[in-house]
Amino acid sequence: MCSSTTTSENNDLLVQSSDPNHPANLIPALCAKFWTLGWVTGTGGGASIRSDDLVYLAPSGVQKELMKPDDIYVLSLAAQAQSLDKRQRVYLRSPANYKPSQCTPLFLAAFTKRNAGCCIHTHSHWAVLVTLILETQGAGKDKEFLINNIEQIKGFGKGFGKSGNLGYHDTLKIPVIENTAHEEDLTEFLEEAMDKYPDTYAVLVRRHGVYVWGENVHKAKTMCESLDYLFQLAVEMKQLGLPWVTDIEPTVPTRK
């Protein structure tokens, strides 16, 4: 299990700002919105935002729709990198009444391996259902979610370090990892999936949910919403016997 320390008892200024786009204000606002979508029900799920060296994190056990800026943890990536024990979290600021989220090392993976500015974790039931549908396909066919020829795929970037977004005819590929009894134990499997799928912006966790990251809050939120739309669509397509991957001839305009 991970342990934590706080470097100072009075760093509350890190979470105090009148700017609505300050990470300490934005995380509670985002999580309240996600709660209305059923993504963070029962204190599950969460979000983290990186601002240069500082990482702002939602705590464990908080009702996400009631979260306040005072509930936010803050840590330094540089201080974390210098720690001899990578499972020891060095927080610059900790709330008085909560525990650090077990999602923390998974969020950090997105920040350090993909230079992400925001990472979102949801317990969307559509994400869970997609992993269960894949599970019925049998070994070897249950490790990837694939879908193409759907307009909403345009909401995804082409990959880390690449410019532009995917197109209508492109195939979106999301890796699936198995769930573990303790969330922080997912970290090595998430990192392995990121290495194996360098262009992915998301990883599904079977029977659990999904992690989605992006260059900034806007892009992470856009891809998370697009992905949830596609998951719901995929479940309903499966109910109708429609395939997720199709071979469609591109329609080309005749007038130029």
Side-chain angles (χ1 to χ4, degrees), residues 192-210:
E192 288 174 0
M194 294 170 80
D195 291 339
K196 186 175 180 180
Y197 298 83
D199 290 335
T200 190
Y201 285 96
V203 173
L204 279 160
V205 183
R206 197 176 322 276
R207 297 173 174 264
H208 182 149
V210 65

Side-chain angles (χ1 to χ4, degrees), residues 17-255:
S17 174
S18 60
D19 181 0
N21 291 317
H22 186 281
N25 295 326
L26 201 49
I27 289 175
L30 287 171
C31 285
K33 174 63 175 177
F34 297 159
W35 182 82
T36 67
L37 300 173
W39 291 359
V40 292
T41 303
T43 79
S48 180
I49 297 173
R50 177 179 65 85
S51 178
D52 296 323
D53 178 60
L54 297 182
V55 174
Y56 295 78
L57 304 122
S60 175
V62 66
Q63 298 287 335
K64 296 301 190 294
E65 77 280 17
L66 302 177
M67 195 191 314
K68 304 181 297 296
D70 285 347
D71 299 329
I72 300 297
Y73 279 88
V74 185
L75 63 73
S76 161
L77 284 177
Q80 191 62 45
Q82 294 170 4
S83 175
L84 296 178
D85 182 359
K86 299 306 179 184
R87 295 174 70 85
Q88 172 78 24
R89 309 283 172 237
V90 182
Y91 292 97
L92 301 180
R93 195 269 174 184
S94 299
N97 300 318
Y98 293 107
K99 298 186 298 182
S101 171
Q102 285 203 5
C103 300
T104 299
L106 293 104
F107 290 146
L108 293 180
F111 299 141
T112 58
K113 294 179 73 68
R114 290 293 183 270
N115 198 32
C118 178
C119 187
I120 299 166
H121 173 44
T122 86
H123 286 187
S124 161
H125 75 283
W126 297 116
V128 174
L129 283 170
V130 161
T131 69
L132 292 173
I133 291 171
L134 288 170
E135 189 174 72
T136 67
Q137 307 304 304
K141 299 180 180 179
D142 61 343
K143 299 298 186 183
E144 296 176 340
F145 169 70
L146 303 173
I147 192 167
N148 68 356
N149 295 316
I150 300 294
E151 183 70 11
Q152 199 68 31
I153 290 170
K154 293 179 179 178
F156 292 85
K158 290 184 176 179
F160 178 57
K162 298 180 179 180
S163 61
N165 282 26
L166 295 178
Y168 166 64
H169 290 295
D170 289 329
T171 298
L172 178 68
K173 182 184 296 184
I174 306 295
V176 182
I177 62 175
E178 301 303 324
N179 199 24
T180 56
H182 301 287
E183 186 128 16
E184 62 194 34
D185 293 337
L186 288 168
T187 307
E188 66 175 280
F189 305 109
L190 181 96
E191 291 178 338
E192 288 174 0
M194 294 170 80
D195 291 339
K196 186 175 180 180
Y197 298 83
D199 290 335
T200 190
Y201 285 96
V203 173
L204 279 160
V205 183
R206 197 176 322 276
R207 297 173 174 264
H208 182 149
V210 65
Y211 280 85
V212 186
W213 57 87
E215 180 183 340
N216 51 46
V217 173
H218 172 78
K219 291 184 178 180
K221 179 174 177 288
T222 296
M223 288 189 283
C224 198
E225 291 173 345
S226 297
L227 199 53
D228 204 60
Y229 170 94
L230 290 169
F231 288 156
Q232 179 177 356
L233 186 67
V235 171
E236 294 174 347
M237 289 172 71
K238 188 69 175 180
Q239 291 173 333
L240 295 171
L242 300 174
W244 296 343
V245 177
T246 55
D247 186 9
I248 294 177
E249 189 72 23
T251 301
V252 180
T254 57
R255 289 182 291 180

